[in-house]
Amino acid sequence: MPFDFSFTPEQEAFRSAVRAFLEREVAPNVAAMDESEEFPAASVKKMQAEGYFGVPVPEAYGGLGLGKVGYCLLLEEIGRVDASHAAIVGAHSSLGTSPLLSYGTEEQKQRWLTPAARGEKLLAFSLTEPGSGSDSGAVHTLAEKSGDGWTLTGTKIYVTNGREADTVLVMAANDVKLGPNGGVTAFLIDKGTPGFRVGRCEKKMGLHGTSTAELLLDRVALGPEHVLGQVGKGFHVAMTALDVGRVSLGAAALGGMQAACRSATEFSQNRTQFGLPISEFEAIQFKLADMVMRIDALRYLVYHAAAHQDRMGSEPAQWGRQERQQKTRESAVVKCLASEWAKEVIDQSLQIHGGLGYIRGTAIERAYRDTRILEIFEGTNEIQRLVIARDLLTRGL
Ligand SMILES: Cc1cc2nc3c(=O)[nH]c(=O)nc-3n(C[C@H](O)[C@H](O)[C@H](O)COP(=O)(O)OP(=O)(O)OC[C@H]3O[C@@H](n4cnc5c(N)ncnc54)[C@H](O)[C@@H]3O)c2cc1C
């Protein structure tokens, strides 16, 4: 297993360019976005123009061709500035473009992947239903065969980008009885398709810049060209997407942890109590040290997993069984640790800020609300632990 963590000069240059862009175009608007709870349409448009919605996609399909490592660099930088923007990019890229790249036919790549990677179209991913969350194979949205196409009926919930997306990757049941083993199919549904509409959008604790939408499907008629991957193999499509998503979630958490640590460090050096900067007190130094340990450890985990995915490539037919299982385990480990460490680091940073950390409108207060979801979406941490333990029990360490 190769362990090489150095970034190339191109990757470092990309990081610098992204950082400068985000400081200029996104950071100044984040507090207002959080307060208004509006989708940050203007900054998303600018990010699309920069190519940031197609970072891991090959240039042949309109992307920047920077792979998963480049993509994680992007998410880490976005995570330093705002979790909502990270979730919007993640839902589009990890959960939208990556399954299109892995499972799309050439026609589907031309029709859906290329405009999405160029930033002309926004994607979303829809697996969850009212009765199917952690038990994600128990899909009840029905896909019935009609002629050479399909008719879809059902209700999906909690779809990030669901209100704004031009196209949604929807998992539906071609056979409810079969469940994840042959009974779920992935469909590409465009906004404006008759019978397909956005329902309620949730009010949330955090991630105020993202929509979390219900999608209603009332006899939505689709041609066979809307099926992504094989009929009955939609669960593989979804899990492949989530393997990418869980690593990029880790990258965004890593960025959020650095911002929280930096803020705590600066605050502690400038806040004087008992005649000394509070950074002089050992209780504060220990908290800062704990932050650094988690940040350093997570950085290795994230880029190790991302580099592994880059080496594997995007063609599922070329993945061996062991390699696929290892990829899934690595992404579950990253997702679990990143979300839990991010919560701890941000909580400790808030504590160092004292009462100020609890005041609405400060970056650390927003981060505290935003970070809680990381333990829940893209598979809860309980489910990630099941994945890790089952892999240990079958394959060993
Ligand atoms: C802001 C937000 C954005 C989201 N974005 C998307 C999206 O873009 N697309 C999408 O498809 N979904 C999305 N989701 C849905 C999200 O992935 C689910 O909420 C999550 O998978 C958990 O499902 P659930 O809410 O139904 O909880 P449940 O599955 O009902 O779980 C409730 C609790 O029981 C635990 N539990 C369940 N089963 C087990 C078990 N076997 N062993 C131990 N514990 C168990 C869970 O871990 C959890 O603690 C989003 C959710 C939110 C809140």
Side-chain angles (χ1 to χ4, degrees):
M1 194 185 295
F3 282 87
D4 180 3
F5 293 103
S6 50
F7 295 117
T8 64
E10 291 75 22
Q11 286 166 338
E12 294 289 8
F14 176 66
R15 182 198 285 281
S16 300
V18 170
R19 185 172 292 187
F21 171 90
L22 292 169
E23 293 295 340
R24 193 176 65 244
E25 303 290 349
V26 176
N29 309 319
V30 170
M33 174 211 72
D34 180 56
E35 203 54 37
S36 69
E37 305 198 21
E38 281 173 17
F39 182 79
S43 51
V44 164
K45 205 166 175 195
K46 287 178 187 162
M47 288 169 73
Q48 287 172 320
E50 293 294 318
Y52 296 163
F53 279 70
V55 169
V57 178
E59 289 169 278
Y61 296 113
L64 296 188
L66 298 177
K68 303 295 193 302
V69 169
Y71 176 51
C72 283
L73 284 169
L74 173 81
L75 263 294
E76 183 186 339
E77 290 304 314
I78 300 176
R80 285 176 74 245
V81 173
D82 177 47
S84 286
H85 283 77
I88 293 165
V89 173
H92 169 93
S93 295
S94 304
L95 307 181
T97 61
S98 76
L100 269 164
L101 182 64
S102 286
Y103 293 95
T105 61
E106 191 51 38
E107 291 73 34
Q108 287 174 327
K109 286 177 185 168
Q110 295 300 337
R111 178 169 169 184
W112 282 291
L113 176 60
T114 301
R118 282 195 193 132
E120 296 158 5
K121 301 279 184 189
L122 186 69
L123 303 179
F125 169 90
S126 176
L127 176 61
T128 306
E129 298 185 356
S132 166
S134 298
D135 187 7
S136 55
V139 171
H140 279 86
T141 292
L142 213 55
E144 295 171 294
K145 200 91 185 76
S146 85
D148 66 345
W150 298 84
T151 303
L152 271 61
T153 303
T155 300
K156 309 296 279 189
I157 57 168
Y158 296 164
V159 184
T160 304
N161 294 346
R163 186 179 53 200
E164 298 82 15
D166 297 285
T167 304
V168 184
L169 182 58
V170 174
M171 303 301 147
N174 55 288
D175 187 333
V176 173
K177 287 191 300 302
L178 289 178
N181 305 311
V184 178
T185 300
F187 293 90
L188 292 153
I189 310 184
D190 294 324
K191 180 157 84 180
T193 305
F196 181 59
R197 68 185 177 86
V198 177
R200 59 173 276 153
C201 289
E202 305 295 343
K203 300 263 298 171
K204 305 188 292 294
M205 173 195 284
L207 290 192
H208 285 173
T210 69
S211 64
T212 303
E214 178 187 48
L215 298 178
L216 304 165
L217 295 87
D218 180 13
R219 283 163 290 146
V220 178
L222 299 172
E225 70 280 11
H226 289 259
V227 173
L228 184 66
Q230 292 174 36
V231 172
K233 294 284 174 67
F235 200 66
H236 291 282
V237 175
M239 293 305 122
T240 303
L242 287 166
D243 279 352
V244 178
R246 288 167 185 158
V247 176
S248 67
L249 177 154
L254 176 62
M257 287 157 69
Q258 289 169 70
C261 181
R262 187 166 296 113
S263 176
T265 306
E266 286 170 12
F267 183 84
S268 68
Q269 288 171 318
N270 291 308
R271 174 69 176 167
T272 299
Q273 288 292 282
F274 302 99
L276 286 172
I278 59 170
S279 59
E280 295 297 314
F281 303 132
E282 202 173 58
I284 301 292
Q285 290 180 3
F286 281 10
K287 289 192 205 321
L288 295 172
D290 285 346
M291 292 181 197
V292 171
M293 288 192 277
R294 284 165 173 69
I295 290 166
D296 283 356
L298 184 61
R299 183 177 293 117
Y300 286 106
L301 284 171
V302 165
Y303 287 101
H304 173 64
H308 184 204
Q309 293 192 357
D310 276 341
R311 285 194 304 279
M312 286 178 71
S314 57
E315 186 49 64
Q318 290 172 2
W319 299 339
R321 189 181 166 81
Q322 289 279 338
E323 202 177 24
R324 189 192 289 261
Q325 289 169 331
Q326 183 64 22
K327 169 168 76 77
T328 296
R329 173 154 139 187
E330 281 170 4
S331 62
V333 168
V334 168
K335 197 270 179 187
C336 245
L337 284 175
S339 55
E340 290 170 15
W341 285 348
K343 186 174 73 175
E344 287 170 23
V345 165
I346 288 166
D347 183 52
Q348 293 299 340
S349 174
L350 190 150
Q351 188 71 14
I352 289 174
H353 284 78
L356 184 65
Y358 197 70
I359 301 302
R360 187 79 180 241
T362 59
I364 193 64
E365 181 267 344
R366 186 177 64 250
Y368 187 81
R369 285 183 284 108
D370 283 346
T371 202
R372 186 63 180 84
I373 188 61
L374 300 181
E375 290 175 84
I376 298 169
F377 67 9
E378 303 218 11
T380 66
N381 283 15
E382 287 79 8
I383 297 302
Q384 302 314 303
R385 284 190 163 84
L386 287 180
V387 168
I388 296 163
R390 283 174 187 160
D391 190 60
L392 171 73
L393 293 169
T394 48
R395 288 195 314 126
L397 260 181

